[in-house]
């Protein structure tokens, strides 16, 4: 078995092998190559696994993203994608070999973490990945969708119109996806810089329409919110489906009031029986804004971004911290055959992380450190689950306080 990097010349064989692994046939790309997710592949980050006689049997690739850490720190992140092994060659170690190769390559590029979305949750923990962000879908029957704004802003729960946006100063305009120009790209970019767990969407994605709506050119209406100066600061991409269901692909807002205005807008759409908001964080304020707290039904609650740390001190010193404290972490990385014990010291929102031989407070696998890294999984939950070992009674409580983020991490980019 040989694992070799790909070049642009390998594009067709790469895409064909990947589709065969999934038992699918490639869709026909739109004119100009747009509209299919593989149009944005970075072929200099691909890997092909080949048999001894040169037949391709496995693929893996990575995108060069930026990930927003707690504290609004942006760091490079390898976004692992296009992972597949032909059904004829499964369970012979092909994926394991590709993962090893890829992690070495990610480190060689100077990236200290990689991220992925997984088809099946049983695959990637063994390679050091842990679920770190979560997402869900919120369904609201329109007749129970009145929103009550906090007293400080005055109470307003009338159905939305184009000008009554809930912010008092903004406006909403409905555009067709094809009329949006650079608006979505610009608004998304502002949003993701302040949202822990969010990934950048490289310009190429928008240029070739790779990914899910609204990046892809699939027909959509987009409610674009603008501030008092006319600058776009939020959008909701939506379409009407069966049974008078309006589905919102994503609601992107640069502040909470804009999100509220967009939610109010779609909930006020005529001839709609229910609104499905895809990709709502579990603890999103929208649930609390519904006058009828039970009107919002949460479903499809699932893991989204999995995180794999490749350099513990760099990773821990890169993110922002919000509570002072000191913890000794004993971190095991069985897949890479590595182990380290680190003293994490947080003072004034900054961390220092150095090797130590002090007794540990917590012993954990690198995949569990990935899970707690963005602040979306409480260390105490993993202690109670038996994943993390706490060596003293206060360790889990202190770790909870230390690792929390300024807000729940959330990612809605699909790759
Ligand atoms: C998932 C997939 C890539 C695994 O490739 P593979 O070459 O068979 O994996 P490996 O042989 O290296 O397996 C390594 C270990 O992971 C386990 N494993 C691999 N895939 C698994 C799965 N889907 N569920 C549970 N365990 C799995 C293997 O049993 C093996 O365990 P072991 O070390 O205890 O023996 C392959 O089955 C595939 O292409 N599936 C369809 C496409 C897909 O789901 N891709 C992932 C996209 S996120």
């Amino acid at each position: 078995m040989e694992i070799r990097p790909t070049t642009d010349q390998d594009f067709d064989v790469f895409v064909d092998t990947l589709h065969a692994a999934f038992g699918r046939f490639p869709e026909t790309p739109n004119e100009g190559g747009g509209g299919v997710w593989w149009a944005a592949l970075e072929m200099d980050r691909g890997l092909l696994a080949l048999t001894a006689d040169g037949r391709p049997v496995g693929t893996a690739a990575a995108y060069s993203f930026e990930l927003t850490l707690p504290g609004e720190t942006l760091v490079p992140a390898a976004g692992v994608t296009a992972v597949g092994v032909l059904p004829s060659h499964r369970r012979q170690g092909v994926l394991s070999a590709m993962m090893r190769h890829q992690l070495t390559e990610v480190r060689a590029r100077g990236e200290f973490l990689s991220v992925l979305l997984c088809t099946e949750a049983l695959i990637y923990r063994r390679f050091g990945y842990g679920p770190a962000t979560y997402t869900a879908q919120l369904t609201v029957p329109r007749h129970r969708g009145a929103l009550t704004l906090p007293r400080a802003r005055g109470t307003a729960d009338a159905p939305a119109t184009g000008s009554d946006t809930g912010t008092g100063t903004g406006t909403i305009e409905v555009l067709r996806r094809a009329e949006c120009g650079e608006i979505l790209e610009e608004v998304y970019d502002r949003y993701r810089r302040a949202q822990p767990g969010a990934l950048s969407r490289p310009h190429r994605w928008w240029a070739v329409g790779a990914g899910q709506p609204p990046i892809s050119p699939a027909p959509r209406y987009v409610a674009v919110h603008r501030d008092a100066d006319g600058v776009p600061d939020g959008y909701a991409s939506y379409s009407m489906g069966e049974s008078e269901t309006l589905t919102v692909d994503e609601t992107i807002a640069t502040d909470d009031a804009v999100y509220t205005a967009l939610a109010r807008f779609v909930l006020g759409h005529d001839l709609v029986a229910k609104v499905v908001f895809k990709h709502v964080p579990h603890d999103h304020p929208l649930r609390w804004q519904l006058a009828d707290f039970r009107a919002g039904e949460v479903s499809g609650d699932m893991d989204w971004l999995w995180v794999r740390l490749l350099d513990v001190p760099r990773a821990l010193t890169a993110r922002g911290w919000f509570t002072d404290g000191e913890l000794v972490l004993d971190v095991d990385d069985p897949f890479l055959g590595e182990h380290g014990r680190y003293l994490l010291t947080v003072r004034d929102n900054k961390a220092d992380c150095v090797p130590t031989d002090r007794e540990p407070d917590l012993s954990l696998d690198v995949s569990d450190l990935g899970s707690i890294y963005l602040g979306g999984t409480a260390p105490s939950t993993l202690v109670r689950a038996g994943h993390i070992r706490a060596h003293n009674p206060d360790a889990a409580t202190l770790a909870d306080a230390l690792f929390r983020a300024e807000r729940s991490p959330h990612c809605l980019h699909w790759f």
Side-chain angles (χ1 to χ4, degrees), residues 86-161:
L86 291 189
S88 50
H89 289 73
R90 295 165 69 234
R91 309 302 181 263
Q92 296 169 30
V94 177
L95 174 64
S96 306
M98 291 193 297
M99 288 286 108
R100 200 174 294 284
H101 197 106
Q102 189 179 50
L103 291 174
T104 307
E105 189 266 339
V106 169
R107 261 189 182 156
R109 282 178 172 253
E111 292 160 335
F112 56 81
L113 58 85
S114 58
V115 295
L116 54 76
L117 314 180
C118 46
T119 50
E120 291 180 284
L122 284 171
I123 304 174
Y124 290 101
R125 202 184 285 277
R126 76 190 68 241
F127 304 125
Y129 290 85
T133 76
Y134 308 89
T135 195
Q137 165 167 309
L138 186 71
T139 301
V140 183
R142 182 169 165 241
H143 72 279
R144 295 171 70 190
L147 301 186
T148 306
L149 292 187
R151 270 182 213 289
R153 294 179 190 276
T155 304
D157 54 8
T161 68

Side-chain angles (χ1 to χ4, degrees), residues 184-241:
L184 309 188
E185 180 175 355
E186 286 165 12
V187 171
Y188 179 86
D189 197 59
R190 274 173 65 195
Y191 145 84
R192 64 97 184 174
R193 288 171 184 274
Q195 172 60 56
L199 289 172
S200 60
R201 283 177 172 165
H203 172 69
R204 183 171 164 70
W205 284 67
W206 297 98
V208 300
Q212 291 190 329
I215 311 179
S216 81
R220 287 291 190 274
Y221 289 104
V222 184
V224 174
H225 189 277
R226 291 188 169 82
D227 67 15
D229 298 323
V231 178
D233 56 3
Y235 66 81
S237 153
Y238 64 90
S239 58
M240 198 73 80

Side-chain angles (χ1 to χ4, degrees), residues 39-353:
L41 281 174
E42 298 172 29
M43 289 310 292
D44 61 331
R45 302 202 68 171
L47 296 175
L48 269 177
L50 305 159
T51 56
D53 57 357
R55 279 177 300 135
V57 294
T59 60
Y63 295 114
S64 307
F65 291 136
E66 253 179 7
L67 173 68
T68 305
L69 303 181
E72 299 190 8
T73 312
L74 308 179
V75 297
V80 174
T81 188
V83 171
V85 173
L86 291 189
S88 50
H89 289 73
R90 295 165 69 234
R91 309 302 181 263
Q92 296 169 30
V94 177
L95 174 64
S96 306
M98 291 193 297
M99 288 286 108
R100 200 174 294 284
H101 197 106
Q102 189 179 50
L103 291 174
T104 307
E105 189 266 339
V106 169
R107 261 189 182 156
R109 282 178 172 253
E111 292 160 335
F112 56 81
L113 58 85
S114 58
V115 295
L116 54 76
L117 314 180
C118 46
T119 50
E120 291 180 284
L122 284 171
I123 304 174
Y124 290 101
R125 202 184 285 277
R126 76 190 68 241
F127 304 125
Y129 290 85
T133 76
Y134 308 89
T135 195
Q137 165 167 309
L138 186 71
T139 301
V140 183
R142 182 169 165 241
H143 72 279
R144 295 171 70 190
L147 301 186
T148 306
L149 292 187
R151 270 182 213 289
R153 294 179 190 276
T155 304
D157 54 8
T161 68
S163 56
D164 175 17
T165 64
T167 62
T169 51
T171 58
I172 287 179
E173 182 186 16
V174 176
L175 298 176
R176 287 177 182 77
R177 167 68 184 88
E179 298 169 331
C180 290
E182 311 270 287
I183 292 176
L184 309 188
E185 180 175 355
E186 286 165 12
V187 171
Y188 179 86
D189 197 59
R190 274 173 65 195
Y191 145 84
R192 64 97 184 174
R193 288 171 184 274
Q195 172 60 56
L199 289 172
S200 60
R201 283 177 172 165
H203 172 69
R204 183 171 164 70
W205 284 67
W206 297 98
V208 300
Q212 291 190 329
I215 311 179
S216 81
R220 287 291 190 274
Y221 289 104
V222 184
V224 174
H225 189 277
R226 291 188 169 82
D227 67 15
D229 298 323
V231 178
D233 56 3
Y235 66 81
S237 153
Y238 64 90
S239 58
M240 198 73 80
E242 299 294 306
S243 311
E244 298 187 329
T245 300
L246 187 152
T247 300
V248 187
D249 308 305
E250 57 185 37
T251 311
I252 298 295
T254 51
D255 82 28
D256 288 335
V258 174
Y259 196 104
T260 305
L262 289 164
R264 181 181 287 270
F265 179 82
V266 291
L267 286 166
H269 200 294
D270 282 332
L271 300 180
V272 165
K274 61 181 173 188
V275 176
V276 177
F277 295 90
K278 287 164 99 177
H279 290 299
V280 177
H282 218 263
D283 56 353
H284 195 277
L286 180 59
R287 291 193 74 193
W288 291 89
Q289 293 174 322
L290 288 164
D292 175 351
F293 187 74
R294 292 186 188 169
E297 186 200 326
V298 177
S299 60
D301 184 6
M302 65 181 291
D303 54 278
W304 194 256
L305 201 66
W306 289 53
V307 170
R308 206 290 178 205
L309 301 185
L310 283 158
D311 183 330
V312 173
R314 267 184 82 193
L316 293 183
T317 48
R319 56 156 281 180
W321 300 85
F322 305 95
T323 304
D324 290 353
E326 223 180 62
L327 270 182
V328 176
L329 304 172
D330 194 70
V331 184
D332 211 17
D333 190 339
F335 183 63
L336 294 180
E338 296 173 6
H339 169 264
R341 188 175 294 179
Y342 307 97
L343 171 63
L344 172 71
T345 309
V346 182
R347 294 273 174 273
D348 302 327
N349 308 105
K350 284 206 162 42
D352 200 31
C353 184

